[in-house]
Amino acid sequence: MKLKQALAAVAALACMSGAHAQSANTFYVTTGWFHFSPQDGSDPLKIDDVAGRPVNQAFPGTGTGINSSDTFGLSLGYFITDHLATEVELGVPPKFELDGEGSLSAFGKLGSARLWSPALLFKYYFNKPEAQFHPYLGIGVTHVSFTDAKITNSNFIDSPALGGPTSVSTDSSWAPVFNVGFNYNFTKHWFAGFSVSYIPVSVIATLNTQKQTIIGVVSQKAEAKIHLNPLVTYLKVGYMF
């Protein structure tokens, strides 16, 4: 009898240690690597006003693009039910380079900026809580903004489009996030995963120039609307509490 009881206890312990629980009221944290791949395009560069007078002059054939970037990521999540979780995704703001396209491609790199895009997601996980493999679908929202935006190409600064020292500011906006991915549980606590998110978002960069003219220095305001629409991949490892 004692041997049977001991064997039963060992079996129960083995089941417990081998469980891959992902159930309601479970907190988790992940860390890993984000890769941002903008599916970008832009409207032509447009001069809004010169010396305070409306101009609204577009430069056909001009364009700008943004290269891809990588950064360290972190997320914090909570399972509301066995299948529904809410998660906050954060990352070190990645640096993007702004490249000239169309007639501006001769300038190459025009400038740079850092992207902030914290996201709140709701994810639905498939399969039973004790399964090892958990695919999921998610939807959420992010707030997109840029800091440290600047024009660094002196040839572009001196070109007819600008013609003097230029500062850059960008707007910020909310955007939806569409997410798909999976987790694979190695133990009750440790797991790894991979996800892909799509964020349909555009930003407007405003260029304020002190333009050198034959009558002296005048202020000029121009803008460029950039369609980012990035695909964001996240390779991660996580721990459930």
Side-chain angles (χ1 to χ4, degrees):
M1 179 63 71
K2 290 184 178 180
L3 178 60
K4 289 183 179 180
Q5 290 176 342
L7 290 175
V10 170
L13 182 61
C15 291
M16 184 179 299
S17 62
H20 301 280
Q22 191 165 284
S23 55
N25 301 319
T26 299
F27 287 92
Y28 63 90
V29 60
T30 76
T31 186
W33 205 248
F34 283 114
H35 177 73
F36 291 80
S37 180
Q39 312 300 300
D40 60 295
S42 69
D43 296 347
L45 181 68
K46 185 179 70 171
I47 306 298
D48 291 331
D49 66 67
V50 177
R53 295 182 180 181
V55 174
N56 295 323
Q57 176 189 358
F59 287 82
T62 59
T64 53
I66 293 182
N67 65 347
S68 60
S69 188
D70 297 273
T71 193
F72 172 80
L74 176 71
S75 75
L76 304 170
Y78 174 73
F79 276 91
I80 302 170
T81 71
D82 288 353
H83 297 281
L84 181 64
T86 181
E87 182 176 320
V88 175
E89 289 188 346
L90 306 166
V92 176
K95 184 178 181 179
F96 287 89
E97 293 184 352
L98 185 68
D99 298 318
E101 295 184 347
S103 60
L104 299 181
S105 61
F107 294 108
K109 178 184 173 181
L110 303 180
S112 62
R114 290 193 178 276
L115 172 67
W116 297 75
S117 56
L120 173 64
L121 299 174
F122 289 92
K123 297 181 176 182
Y124 185 85
Y125 287 79
F126 299 92
N127 293 342
K128 296 180 179 180
E130 62 271 16
Q132 286 183 282
F133 181 68
H134 290 272
Y136 58 79
L137 293 174
I139 191 169
V141 64
T142 181
H143 186 259
V144 178
S145 61
F146 286 89
T147 58
D148 299 330
K150 53 189 175 183
I151 300 296
T152 57
N153 189 306
S154 59
N155 291 327
F156 180 51
I157 291 173
D158 295 334
S159 70
L162 298 181
T166 300
S167 62
V168 184
S169 61
T170 60
D171 66 345
S172 60
S173 61
W174 293 91
V177 180
F178 304 98
N179 177 256
V180 61
F182 68 88
N183 289 343
Y184 185 87
N185 296 344
F186 296 104
T187 70
K188 181 179 180 181
H189 297 288
W190 289 100
F191 65 94
F194 179 78
S195 70
V196 180
S197 297
Y198 175 65
I199 307 173
V201 64
S202 298
V203 298
I204 295 177
T206 301
L207 291 76
N208 293 289
T209 301
Q210 296 301 302
K211 192 175 184 69
Q212 310 291 329
T213 71
I214 58 175
I215 62 172
V217 178
V218 297
S219 62
Q220 172 184 282
K221 185 172 75 172
E223 68 175 45
K225 186 174 184 180
I226 305 171
H227 310 284
L228 294 174
N229 305 329
L231 288 173
V232 184
T233 58
Y234 185 32
L235 182 63
K236 59 189 174 181
V237 62
Y239 185 86
M240 286 183 286
F241 298 93

